[in-house]
Amino acid sequence: MKALRSFAVRAALPEPLGILHTIAMNLRWTWDPRAVDLFRWIDPDAWERAGHDPVQTLGMITKDRFAELTEDGPFMAFLASVQEDLQSYLEEPRWFQLHEAPKNLRQVAYFSPEFGVGEALPIYSGGLGVLAGDHLKAASDLGVPLVGVGLLYRQGYFKQHLNADGWQEERYPALDPHGMPLRLLLDSEGQPLKVEVDLAGARCVAQLWRADVGRVPLLLMDCDVEENEPEERGVTDRLYGGGTEHRLRQEIVLGIGGVRALRAAGYESDVFHSNEGHAGFLGMERISELVRDAGLTFSEALEAVRAASIFTTHTPVPAGIDVYTAELMERYFSSYVKECETTFEDFMRMGRVDPEVEELKDATFNMAIMGFRLAGRANAVSRLHGEVSRAIFSGLWPQLPQDESPVMHITNGVHTSTWLGPEILEVFDRRLAPGWTEVGKGRWEKIHEVPDAELWRARERARERLVYEVRRRLRAQIVSRGASEGELGWIDDVFDPGILTIGFARRFAQYKRGTLILSDEERLKKLLQSGDRPIQIVLAGKAHPLDDGGKEMIQRLSHFAADPEVRTRFAFIEDYDMEVARILCQGADVWLNNPRRPLEACGTSGMKAALNGALNCSVLDGWWDECYNGTNGWSIGTVYTYLDPDHQDRVEASALYDLLEREIVPRFYDRPEGPIPRRWIERMKSSIESLGPFVTADRMLRDYVEDLYEPASRQGKVMTMENHDRAKELAVWKAKVREFWNDVEFLEVHGEETTADVGETREVTALLRVGRLTTDDLTVQLCHGRVGANGEIMSPVVTEMKPGECDEEGVCAYKGAFPTEAPGLYGFAVRAIPSHPDLPSPMDMGLLIWA
């Protein structure tokens, strides 16, 4: 029976306990252990039944229990303390308010298709969403003015269950937003606040919900409203659900609807950050606004929008990018491009590598390419991923050296308070600066002052907790498949708190090679079954519902885990989520990561494990490529990549087994002085000291603020001044440079080539025909440095040459000089690039001419 009308009912709290609702509705409790203790105190059983969700917990408590709590002096005192701490957290100045740099930034709008803030808000699938959640939390801790924008999925991501044969099955439980830590936003008349978008002629309405993530608001759009037809009501049904067209419809709501949601809710963001290409249409909506409201042309609006836009790519392979056909794009955007006063052909060029060569009828629209074209600043998510991204997208800037393509990198980080276990947190709190988890001022070198016994006891307690959880979850998994109590006796022998424990948890995609550890099952069994130095391995993760290859990997692991010979030492935990991730990252001694290099954009699970004292054993991919120093963990194989992937797998599987047998296992059990493994703890301390300052999300957010958000805000403000005069001027200038760039030509370059002494200065002169441009329109650069065997200048130093006089034919003289800084073969080269003070980066236009 369907309800004619419906309304929300909240738990009725006595007036003295009213503040419980405020605490429950702010997701800061997801990283505040004292708030968690508060709700567990109310009713431990209800807390467990509610899945550690305060809103659900309060709905399970009886009036009598509430009455008891109001008379419980210690509880009321603790409640007041937690409430006071939350209020102080929300109001006091943080890093952003106190840092000395000029503050141009008003507010960042951070768009993402998923947000992993906590299990109580299950609108995430994995790494991208958890990163977005950590981004919001770190922004809150640092006081960065940021608002998140996403979609509220009525079924979220799937719940995973393995059947009797180990095959992954999916369930999509319906989510009730009224029972979640969300507030439905209302308009001035008290009605739900809504926005609408056009979906190929169909009207799609979305109502707006708000989640509070500490100091940061998160706006979520929900299309399951009565005004919509059934097809439109289903737009926000499932995260990454449906086919290609369904994905496009979700991305239109996220991007175009997201900008409209910000306006409707009263947020005045001056920087727009797209986390991956899914939200890329936000740039088109902002262009449309400026065309419609400010009277700008499409090209002028594009420059104004690009100035304050940031695009982050997480894609290590082209196949991971959303691509749509021209026919589909025309159906959904033919009327929209008219509003932008441009043509469909020009619109399609925004999503094409080389817009001049592709036939429109055969063209496709690439969301990542649009992300780059609409953003003045773009970044990858690790140093190696920056190199990969510059290679993948080099076609956007074909004239540039690949390493100078305008894609920088900011390596991801993880939110310390969310991922740090209570055992290691106690140790750090005694040694690091007060409040270090929220202000990012931990003195990580102090870890060497921690007595080995104290650090080891923390690790032992975390491992004990992991063992308990593995047993509990395995029991539930096996019971769910119909096993009787008589078949569960062996569960009590699963894992041992004193054994070396290896963790592996991530999405099961082919390139992550989740079954690499099974490459030699007999060799693995010897490690698991060793009488004096055994290991135990726990794995978790989901495969995409349509990825049978990923499901086959899970099935193979499940079959191996069911083998009576190893089932007490090898376990696969179902339904991987943030809670499972915390348990594994906090309890494992070694964190295993073995993707095919360089297909891991960053990967952050190893960062979480490292903060908890685990040692990483990983392929040199993602973040580990830039952080491994030889003493803070282990490297599987080398950076060398074989042409045959099967051979690569065999080589690296063998390297992994060798590491376990010859280095990792012996070091863990090497205890000549007693029960404490001194050499293992030595490496733990090296890991914590070297990785702690780098892998945290507060470091990541400071990098974003200083390297991207502040510059984008400054330039965005410049572009809006005087009715967008600078944006108009830049658009005209770019058109002129593109039209006349082929006129630019080097005629002569002179520089002495005789043998020089180190430190000797050499002068270079160049004659450049600038044609119908001027010397103000370009910069001539002198590049110099050591020359390698292939004639390339290695790590060139770039300096600017000074223009001299120009003749009537537009030929100008340039002069420069450089010191010979190292012995050996030395060389120089000269080039010209467009130059304008309002370009977001010197290589922004992708135009370059070499002498």
Side-chain angles (χ1 to χ4, degrees), residues 390-538:
R390 288 187 286 274
I392 291 175
F393 299 106
S394 60
L396 291 170
W397 309 280
Q399 297 183 23
L400 302 185
Q402 190 170 293
D403 61 351
E404 294 191 69
S405 298
V407 184
M408 61 175 294
H409 80 271
I410 292 180
T411 303
N412 288 340
V414 299
H415 186 246
T416 309
S417 297
T418 295
W419 298 105
L420 210 56
E423 301 85 5
I424 200 76
L425 178 61
E426 289 180 16
V427 175
F428 289 165
D429 279 348
R430 286 193 290 268
R431 306 289 169 174
L432 306 183
W436 68 275
T437 56
E438 291 184 347
V439 298
K441 294 183 179 178
R443 296 176 57 192
W444 294 95
E445 71 279 1
K446 303 279 281 184
I447 192 66
H448 292 285
E449 299 178 8
V450 178
D452 288 355
E454 180 182 342
L455 188 58
W456 187 241
R457 181 55 191 147
R459 289 294 314 132
E460 287 182 318
R461 288 163 55 208
R463 195 185 313 113
E464 289 166 2
R465 183 161 54 86
L466 169 63
V467 169
Y468 169 80
E469 281 295 327
V470 168
R471 290 175 181 173
R472 185 181 71 83
R473 288 174 178 271
L474 275 182
R475 181 180 297 274
Q477 289 173 198
I478 295 170
V479 168
S480 72
R481 296 175 199 149
S484 65
E485 279 297 322
E487 300 175 83
L488 301 176
W490 63 275
I491 295 291
D492 293 334
D493 296 323
V494 168
F495 281 27
D496 183 325
I499 288 179
L500 171 63
T501 304
I502 298 174
F504 179 98
R506 52 189 43 83
R507 180 168 57 91
F508 273 83
Q510 303 281 0
Y511 76 89
K512 293 179 183 284
R513 298 189 298 186
T515 52
L516 190 71
I517 191 69
L518 300 185
S519 298
D520 187 335
E521 293 187 8
E522 292 307 311
R523 197 171 176 184
L524 176 59
K525 284 183 177 181
K526 289 180 181 178
L527 287 164
L528 294 168
Q529 297 170 330
S530 172
D532 56 343
R533 300 191 309 183
I535 68 171
Q536 54 198 15
I537 302 176
V538 56

Side-chain angles (χ1 to χ4, degrees), residues 268-573:
E268 297 183 1
S269 302
D270 57 335
V271 172
F272 291 77
H273 183 179
S274 178
N275 188 36
E276 255 305 347
H278 307 289
F281 294 126
L282 74 91
M284 295 305 300
E285 172 64 9
R286 293 178 58 223
I287 288 173
S288 176
E289 288 180 334
L290 291 174
V291 171
R292 180 181 65 248
D293 301 333
L296 272 61
T297 65
F298 182 83
S299 59
E300 294 167 348
L302 173 62
E303 298 307 329
V305 164
R306 290 186 78 247
S309 296
I310 293 158
F311 172 62
T312 297
T313 174
H314 296 261
T315 307
V317 288
I321 302 169
D322 289 332
V323 176
Y324 302 113
T325 64
E327 182 276 328
L328 191 61
M329 294 300 292
E330 185 169 23
R331 181 144 51 91
Y332 277 87
F333 286 94
S334 57
S335 61
Y336 191 81
V337 296
K338 293 176 183 176
E339 297 176 16
C340 295
E341 298 184 6
T342 187
T343 65
F344 180 70
E345 289 75 11
D346 284 341
F347 169 71
M348 283 294 292
R349 289 189 179 100
M350 303 303 295
R352 296 156 66 190
V353 172
D354 190 342
E356 304 306 325
V357 251
E358 300 175 35
E359 290 291 334
L360 186 59
K361 63 181 176 64
D362 300 321
T364 56
F365 191 94
N366 184 300
M367 293 296 288
I369 291 173
M370 178 179 67
F372 282 109
R373 292 206 189 279
L374 293 181
R377 292 166 176 81
N379 72 286
V381 291
S382 71
R383 183 178 65 189
L384 179 60
H385 183 233
E387 298 173 11
V388 171
S389 297
R390 288 187 286 274
I392 291 175
F393 299 106
S394 60
L396 291 170
W397 309 280
Q399 297 183 23
L400 302 185
Q402 190 170 293
D403 61 351
E404 294 191 69
S405 298
V407 184
M408 61 175 294
H409 80 271
I410 292 180
T411 303
N412 288 340
V414 299
H415 186 246
T416 309
S417 297
T418 295
W419 298 105
L420 210 56
E423 301 85 5
I424 200 76
L425 178 61
E426 289 180 16
V427 175
F428 289 165
D429 279 348
R430 286 193 290 268
R431 306 289 169 174
L432 306 183
W436 68 275
T437 56
E438 291 184 347
V439 298
K441 294 183 179 178
R443 296 176 57 192
W444 294 95
E445 71 279 1
K446 303 279 281 184
I447 192 66
H448 292 285
E449 299 178 8
V450 178
D452 288 355
E454 180 182 342
L455 188 58
W456 187 241
R457 181 55 191 147
R459 289 294 314 132
E460 287 182 318
R461 288 163 55 208
R463 195 185 313 113
E464 289 166 2
R465 183 161 54 86
L466 169 63
V467 169
Y468 169 80
E469 281 295 327
V470 168
R471 290 175 181 173
R472 185 181 71 83
R473 288 174 178 271
L474 275 182
R475 181 180 297 274
Q477 289 173 198
I478 295 170
V479 168
S480 72
R481 296 175 199 149
S484 65
E485 279 297 322
E487 300 175 83
L488 301 176
W490 63 275
I491 295 291
D492 293 334
D493 296 323
V494 168
F495 281 27
D496 183 325
I499 288 179
L500 171 63
T501 304
I502 298 174
F504 179 98
R506 52 189 43 83
R507 180 168 57 91
F508 273 83
Q510 303 281 0
Y511 76 89
K512 293 179 183 284
R513 298 189 298 186
T515 52
L516 190 71
I517 191 69
L518 300 185
S519 298
D520 187 335
E521 293 187 8
E522 292 307 311
R523 197 171 176 184
L524 176 59
K525 284 183 177 181
K526 289 180 181 178
L527 287 164
L528 294 168
Q529 297 170 330
S530 172
D532 56 343
R533 300 191 309 183
I535 68 171
Q536 54 198 15
I537 302 176
V538 56
L539 306 95
K542 296 177 178 178
H544 188 280
L546 301 180
D547 182 6
D548 283 350
K551 292 182 180 183
E552 287 169 0
M553 287 195 289
I554 292 174
Q555 185 180 46
R556 185 179 172 196
L557 291 166
S558 178
H559 286 175
F560 184 81
D563 184 341
E565 286 190 90
V566 299
R567 66 184 181 181
T568 60
R569 293 287 178 267
F570 192 95
F572 185 92
I573 302 301

Side-chain angles (χ1 to χ4, degrees), residues 74-363:
F75 176 83
M76 295 303 293
F78 189 53
L79 171 61
S81 173
V82 172
Q83 188 272 335
E84 182 181 358
D85 180 62
L86 175 61
Q87 200 64 29
S88 174
Y89 175 87
L90 296 176
E91 295 176 355
E92 67 185 11
R94 313 294 291 183
W95 169 82
F96 182 80
Q97 288 73 37
L98 299 174
H99 86 300
E100 297 178 358
K103 299 178 186 64
N104 300 283
L105 183 63
R106 183 170 65 229
Q107 186 180 70
V108 178
Y110 180 79
F111 288 66
S112 180
E114 51 177 303
F115 287 91
V117 180
E119 305 92 284
L121 193 61
I123 54 170
Y124 64 94
S125 69
L128 181 69
V130 173
L131 170 75
D134 282 6
H135 199 103
L136 299 193
K137 294 174 185 177
S140 175
D141 287 346
L142 297 178
V144 177
L146 185 144
V147 54
V149 182
L151 300 178
L152 179 61
Y153 306 96
R154 284 305 181 103
Q155 294 180 326
Y157 206 52
F158 67 89
K159 304 285 286 183
Q160 180 194 51
H161 170 73
L162 303 188
N163 65 21
D165 193 36
W167 190 257
Q168 173 182 292
E169 297 176 343
E170 300 87 28
R171 292 185 298 107
Y172 291 88
L175 304 178
D176 176 15
H178 295 286
M180 299 163 69
L182 297 170
R183 291 183 175 86
L184 184 63
L185 297 186
L186 305 177
D187 61 21
S188 57
E189 298 178 356
Q191 298 300 309
L193 187 62
K194 297 175 180 177
V195 296
E196 63 179 77
V197 298
D198 175 84
L199 295 179
R203 173 174 177 258
C204 182
V205 177
Q207 62 185 357
L208 308 185
W209 299 82
R210 168 175 161 157
D212 291 310
V213 185
R215 301 161 68 113
V216 171
L218 169 58
L219 294 182
L220 299 172
M221 289 167 287
D222 168 23
C223 298
D224 188 13
V225 297
E226 292 182 354
E227 294 96 321
N228 286 334
E229 295 297 321
E231 190 173 357
E232 282 64 55
R233 290 189 76 152
V235 168
T236 52
D237 55 358
R238 296 177 180 178
L239 173 59
Y240 304 139
T244 301
E245 184 170 358
H246 189 72
R247 177 74 68 88
L248 175 61
R249 290 160 69 87
Q250 287 186 337
E251 293 179 344
I252 291 171
V253 173
L254 176 59
I256 296 175
V259 173
R260 295 175 183 178
L262 286 169
R263 308 303 191 217
Y267 293 98
E268 297 183 1
S269 302
D270 57 335
V271 172
F272 291 77
H273 183 179
S274 178
N275 188 36
E276 255 305 347
H278 307 289
F281 294 126
L282 74 91
M284 295 305 300
E285 172 64 9
R286 293 178 58 223
I287 288 173
S288 176
E289 288 180 334
L290 291 174
V291 171
R292 180 181 65 248
D293 301 333
L296 272 61
T297 65
F298 182 83
S299 59
E300 294 167 348
L302 173 62
E303 298 307 329
V305 164
R306 290 186 78 247
S309 296
I310 293 158
F311 172 62
T312 297
T313 174
H314 296 261
T315 307
V317 288
I321 302 169
D322 289 332
V323 176
Y324 302 113
T325 64
E327 182 276 328
L328 191 61
M329 294 300 292
E330 185 169 23
R331 181 144 51 91
Y332 277 87
F333 286 94
S334 57
S335 61
Y336 191 81
V337 296
K338 293 176 183 176
E339 297 176 16
C340 295
E341 298 184 6
T342 187
T343 65
F344 180 70
E345 289 75 11
D346 284 341
F347 169 71
M348 283 294 292
R349 289 189 179 100
M350 303 303 295
R352 296 156 66 190
V353 172
D354 190 342
E356 304 306 325
V357 251
E358 300 175 35
E359 290 291 334
L360 186 59
K361 63 181 176 64
D362 300 321

